[in-house]
Amino acid sequence: MSDALLSVQNLRIEFPTRRGTLVAVDDVSFSISPGEVLGVVGESGAGKSLTGNAIIGLLEPPGRVAGGAITLEGRRIDNLSYDRMRRIRGREIGAIFQDPLTSLNPLYTVGRQLVETILTHTDMTPTQARDRSIELLQEVGIPAAERRIDSYPHQFSGGMRQRVVIALALCANPRLIIADEPTTALDVSIQAQILALLRRLCRDHGTAVMLITHDMGVIAETANRVAVMYAGRLVEIGAVRSVIKQPKHPYTVGLMGAIPAIGSDVDRLSQIEGSMPRLTAIPPGCAFNPRCPHAFERCRSERPDLIASDESGVACWLFDEDASDVPMEVAGHA
Amino acid sequence: MPDAAAPAPSANGEVPLVEVVDLAKHFDVSKPFLNRLLEAEQRQVLRAVDGVSFTIPRGKTFSLVGESGCGKSTVARCVVGLYRPTQGAVLFDGTDIAGLRTRAQIRPFRKRLQMIFQDPYASLNPRWRVSNIISEPIRAHGLASSQQEVQSRIDDLLTHVRLTPADGEKYPHEFSGGQRQRISIARALASNPEFLVCDEPTSALDVSVQAQILNLMKDLQRELGLTYLFISHNLAVVYHVSDWVGVMYLGRLVEWGEKRRLFRYPRHPYTRMLLDTIPDLDMSGRDRQPVAGEVPNPINPPSGCAFHPRCPHANARCTEELPRALPVEGGGQVACHAVEEGRLAVEDRGTITPPPIEDALRAGA
Ligand SMILES: Nc1ncnc2c1ncn2[C@@H]1O[C@H](COP(=O)(O)OP(=O)(O)OP(=O)(O)O)[C@@H](O)[C@H]1O
Ligand SMILES: Nc1ncnc2c1ncn2[C@@H]1O[C@H](COP(=O)(O)OP(=O)(O)OP(=O)(O)O)[C@@H](O)[C@H]1O
Ligand code: SF4
Ligand code: SF4
Ligand SMILES: [Mg+2]
Ligand SMILES: [Mg+2]
């Protein structure tokens, strides 16, 4: 897409180890438009956080981007110096991590942290910055913000701290927000408030959001599109409704079936047998083939690429248009 | 479905396996005596659990839900004897196990109830082989007479939780999160318990791994006639596993009842609010009701009904008087003035068909 705000092309992330190079993210491509929320789901260890960290330039060594390109509003950002990247982070990209305590300094008041961040990234005066801070705290739903602004992080509840982290990420009106499990540690009641806030930002300010989460319910009500990762690769991407209602990739199908639903009185949930392979033992061909109920000969030797059109894509041989070797009954099922 | 999980009727089919009566657990969270003296502060008591009563029929699953800090884990810990309750009784098969004092009195009950924790990493000793982890309760309770018998029991248990006997030779770090939770379950089953308390057993796991563990737990319940007390903050998981559900708020059970009844006809305003916050997988376009306010400080809970600062139906009486628990048709209870005064109409949330009242009555309560 030409109007993409963020574009990730063929991203590859490696970890050099004594026993060889581990490929943790392999050939991942996607883009996010202004005002759009892209949900990212997948098995634990699939490479979701690494992908997010690579975009904000916070990949922990020895992990490194070993291939591909990341572009923000048309500019490459994956090859910038640490200092230039730091300025982009905060000003153009805001980051929200799961644990609010790691993002807040316990020794400074919430207000001081907000004001300093605003002063670093904008040309406001200190008074303007303080007013803006109060405004931000109100926006994220902190009651009595003008009084609470001088509190220390430990004087806030977990949910309030997470909202402060969000306020910090919003300080400079970033164009893109990377939110990695932003509501996992929160109660459902507070979770609903925070997701409503993210949606409002997208709608009113055209902010783009990459929302990483395990919670399909969160994706369903927040995301426009969803990307599914498995063993370091993107296996399916598409509009949220079609991925949830008509998943194509056998892993996505298994994932959706495994979610319990209120009102559905099934005795057993459908389950995907086995577990995701370790990075050191990714099978040849399709990485999902040992667990896939539809695997056939080709899956064990040839790796399926994401067959991507503009809006959606799936990396599975069952959906290879010009394949002649897809078993009949399987093709019918798909 | 209720009958599929029912075990063979016991001699006294009427007695529920577990009966929690007016349970309370208060923690002293005061500063040390000298500081208190210097700063002229009062002793501070945190009422983590304050007067909770419910029953669990044999072979059934009772779940506790509620916001973080409402006291779910504290109830669980009192029930298995990890905490001594400040007040109240935990009747297990008719005996008040919370009132037992000597080791000899407690011993026969110890092996009949076991607990599974949230974190499968922290709860397994990393330096022990899996076979030793699992056999520890067998040895502790003298449940096998020979090494050979211990070994065959270990193999049995590993097979039961869908691992293999060969896995017994490995160490916990060689397993994935879901497999480690299976090991915890095998260890909990080692003493042939009748009752398992599961505190967020799948919260640290992936959805796909969660499905494996929930299926395993249901299979084991069917095969062994187990009774569960289950804790989770995920309401869909709770709906899936439970027969009975209890909703806690600030140390109290505000409502409990048969699962389908509770999800379809929630009575208590807090239960309704909790159900409103469920993310909508059906994408019906419904916006979740953002909840007003936060869970209040449990050291200084609001007067009267502790929910009153957040309750849209609160009146003057609610700020002064603690609502008492009223029986609900079909089994269970609800504690709310508005319900008692008939100010709050029953609401039908549709889609879920509760079982006929007779079924629910037979199932317990
Ligand atoms: N320093 C490291 N050395 C080797 N491998 C690493 C290192 N850091 C991460 N990995 C591997 O990279 C993979 C992807 O990790 P990542 O944190 O992106 O997963 P994730 O999809 O975010 O999972 P989760 O849902 O559990 O957060 C994992 O298999 C992990 O083991
Ligand atoms: N040992 C203790 N000493 C003092 N206070 C405690 C202790 N254990 C629990 N509490 C307090 O009791 C209250 C209830 O805690 P509990 O762990 O039972 O909550 P919970 O419902 O399990 O919450 P969560 O969903 O976060 O696990 C909390 O306010 C907690 O801080
Ligand atoms: S490529 Fe083959 S193994 Fe992989 S998901 Fe598709 S059918 Fe299954
Ligand atoms: S007792 Fe009053 S405040 Fe409490 S839930 Fe009922 S109506 Fe609301
Ligand atoms: Mg992650
Ligand atoms: Mg708990």
Side-chain angles (χ1 to χ4, degrees), chain A residues 9-322:
Chain A
Q9 290 301 322
N10 311 103
L11 180 68
R12 181 182 175 95
I13 298 172
E14 294 180 349
F15 286 94
T17 70
R18 266 175 292 141
R19 274 184 265 157
T21 300
L22 295 180
V23 183
V25 170
D26 196 3
D27 205 14
V28 164
S29 302
F30 61 87
S31 60
I32 313 181
S33 308
E36 183 182 48
V37 180
L38 176 73
V40 181
V41 298
E43 208 86 345
S44 179
K48 306 181 293 293
S49 297
L50 287 179
T51 304
N53 289 349
I55 295 168
I56 48 183
L58 283 180
L59 213 49
E60 298 229 0
R64 60 183 196 97
V65 174
I70 302 170
T71 8
L72 183 71
E73 296 188 300
R75 281 169 304 145
R76 279 284 289 269
I77 56 166
D78 54 294
N79 51 6
L80 299 181
S81 71
Y82 182 82
D83 272 343
R84 288 198 50 201
M85 195 58 209
R86 203 182 51 187
R87 254 173 287 139
I88 288 188
R89 214 184 299 137
R91 184 170 312 187
E92 287 164 67
I93 310 179
I96 305 168
F97 299 106
Q98 174 170 357
D99 183 3
L101 285 183
T102 57
S103 321
L104 294 175
N105 187 331
L107 300 178
Y108 295 155
T109 63
V110 163
R112 174 161 175 194
Q113 299 184 51
L114 284 165
V115 167
E116 280 183 4
T117 312
I118 294 174
L119 292 178
T120 317
H121 294 299
T122 67
D123 38 21
M124 284 188 193
T125 66
T127 325
Q128 286 171 327
R130 189 176 162 89
D131 290 346
R132 174 85 183 117
S133 301
I134 294 173
E135 210 176 279
L136 278 165
L137 288 177
Q138 281 163 346
E139 215 169 308
V140 296
I142 303 278
E146 44 322 318
R147 265 190 297 121
R148 301 309 294 268
I149 187 167
D150 295 313
S151 308
Y152 289 88
H154 72 90
Q155 294 170 308
F156 280 6
S157 76
M160 289 165 78
R161 282 199 288 258
Q162 186 63 309
R163 281 179 268 173
V164 173
V165 171
I166 295 174
L168 270 172
L170 303 181
C171 274
N173 290 321
R175 307 286 300 129
L176 171 70
I177 293 174
I178 309 281
D180 192 351
E181 309 270 5
T183 59
T184 308
L186 302 179
D187 275 323
V188 274
S189 51
I190 296 157
Q191 181 184 75
Q193 296 177 24
I194 288 186
L195 295 176
L197 172 73
L198 280 179
R199 280 197 302 267
R200 204 168 64 232
L201 283 169
C202 294
R203 200 184 51 221
D204 300 349
H205 301 285
T207 314
V209 177
M210 175 173 166
L211 175 66
I212 301 171
T213 173
H214 281 285
D215 190 331
M216 206 57 74
V218 167
I219 295 280
E221 65 175 28
T222 318
N224 304 104
R225 282 188 307 142
V226 56
V228 185
M229 289 187 74
Y230 185 81
R233 291 162 201 181
L234 206 60
V235 295
E236 181 161 2
I237 186 166
V240 68
R241 180 172 279 275
S242 65
V243 172
I244 289 183
K245 297 277 189 202
Q246 290 118 23
K248 290 201 179 87
H249 194 282
Y251 170 69
T252 322
V253 173
L255 194 64
M256 294 304 158
I259 302 171
I262 288 171
S264 118
D265 289 292
V266 292
D267 203 38
R268 288 177 65 82
L269 298 164
S270 76
Q271 66 180 51
I272 312 173
E273 302 297 337
S275 53
M276 197 177 72
R278 296 185 187 182
L279 294 184
T280 48
I282 294 189
C286 171
F288 189 57
N289 86 66
R291 307 175 73 187
C292 180
H294 308 296
F296 56 106
E297 216 28 61
R298 191 175 178 186
C299 307
R300 288 180 263 274
S301 52
E302 258 180 274
R303 183 179 135 185
D305 282 324
L306 192 79
I307 308 159
S309 60
D310 233 18
E311 287 297 309
S312 67
V314 55
C316 168
W317 289 126
L318 296 177
F319 298 90
D320 187 15
E321 301 274 296
D322 29 60

Side-chain angles (χ1 to χ4, degrees), chain B residues 106-181:
Chain B
I106 294 170
R107 176 168 278 276
F109 292 97
R110 263 286 141 75
K111 60 171 192 269
R112 296 175 66 189
L113 41 112
Q114 292 292 332
M115 183 150 175
I116 298 167
F117 297 91
Q118 169 171 358
D119 191 349
Y121 301 84
S123 59
L124 300 175
N125 187 331
R127 282 188 294 272
W128 285 16
R129 282 183 204 278
V130 166
S131 57
N132 289 333
I133 291 174
I134 297 177
S135 62
E136 199 260 343
I138 304 179
R139 295 177 211 278
H141 294 292
L143 296 175
S145 47
S146 65
Q147 179 51 37
Q148 210 178 357
E149 206 179 315
V150 173
Q151 191 55 50
S152 80
R153 184 85 183 109
I154 294 170
D155 294 354
D156 230 39
L157 286 161
L158 284 169
T159 317
H160 240 117
V161 298
R162 321 291 183 249
L163 293 170
T164 64
D167 288 324
E169 290 313 299
K170 299 183 189 159
Y171 291 92
H173 73 87
E174 297 175 66
F175 294 91
S176 69
Q179 289 170 325
R180 281 184 242 209
Q181 199 55 294

Side-chain angles (χ1 to χ4, degrees), chain B residues 72-73 199-200 231:
Chain B
K72 306 180 293 292
S73 297
D199 192 354
E200 310 254 11
I231 293 173

Side-chain angles (χ1 to χ4, degrees), chain B residues 164-307:
Chain B
T164 64
D167 288 324
E169 290 313 299
K170 299 183 189 159
Y171 291 92
H173 73 87
E174 297 175 66
F175 294 91
S176 69
Q179 289 170 325
R180 281 184 242 209
Q181 199 55 294
R182 285 165 198 264
I183 297 169
S184 320
I185 294 175
R187 179 182 56 185
L189 293 176
S191 62
N192 281 324
E194 293 144 68
F195 179 47
L196 283 186
V197 175
C198 313
D199 192 354
E200 310 254 11
T202 62
S203 303
L205 305 175
D206 269 343
V207 203
S208 58
V209 184
Q210 167 175 283
Q212 294 175 350
I213 296 293
L214 295 180
N215 283 342
L216 173 67
M217 286 181 57
K218 277 208 160 192
D219 293 346
L220 292 171
Q221 182 168 50
R222 203 173 308 119
E223 290 162 29
L224 308 171
L226 297 171
T227 305
Y228 292 128
L229 173 60
F230 187 91
I231 293 173
S232 173
H233 60 262
N234 184 326
L235 289 165
V237 168
V238 163
Y239 184 86
H240 177 72
V241 301
S242 315
D243 301 294
W244 295 83
V245 177
V247 180
M248 286 188 72
Y249 190 77
L250 224 60
R252 292 177 187 275
L253 204 54
V254 296
E255 176 168 11
W256 67 278
E258 190 277 328
K259 155 182 85 178
R260 269 164 289 183
R261 200 281 296 156
L262 189 110
F263 277 84
R264 178 160 182 174
Y265 304 109
R267 299 284 206 286
H268 197 280
Y270 177 65
T271 311
R272 298 178 189 204
M273 190 181 100
L274 210 57
L275 295 184
D276 282 337
T277 63
I278 298 169
D280 182 9
L281 251 185
D282 281 336
M283 293 179 288
S284 56
R286 167 178 71 90
D287 234 356
R288 272 200 279 169
Q289 215 60 47
V291 175
E294 304 215 359
V295 188
N297 178 356
I299 298 179
N300 232 325
S303 59
C305 170
F307 187 56

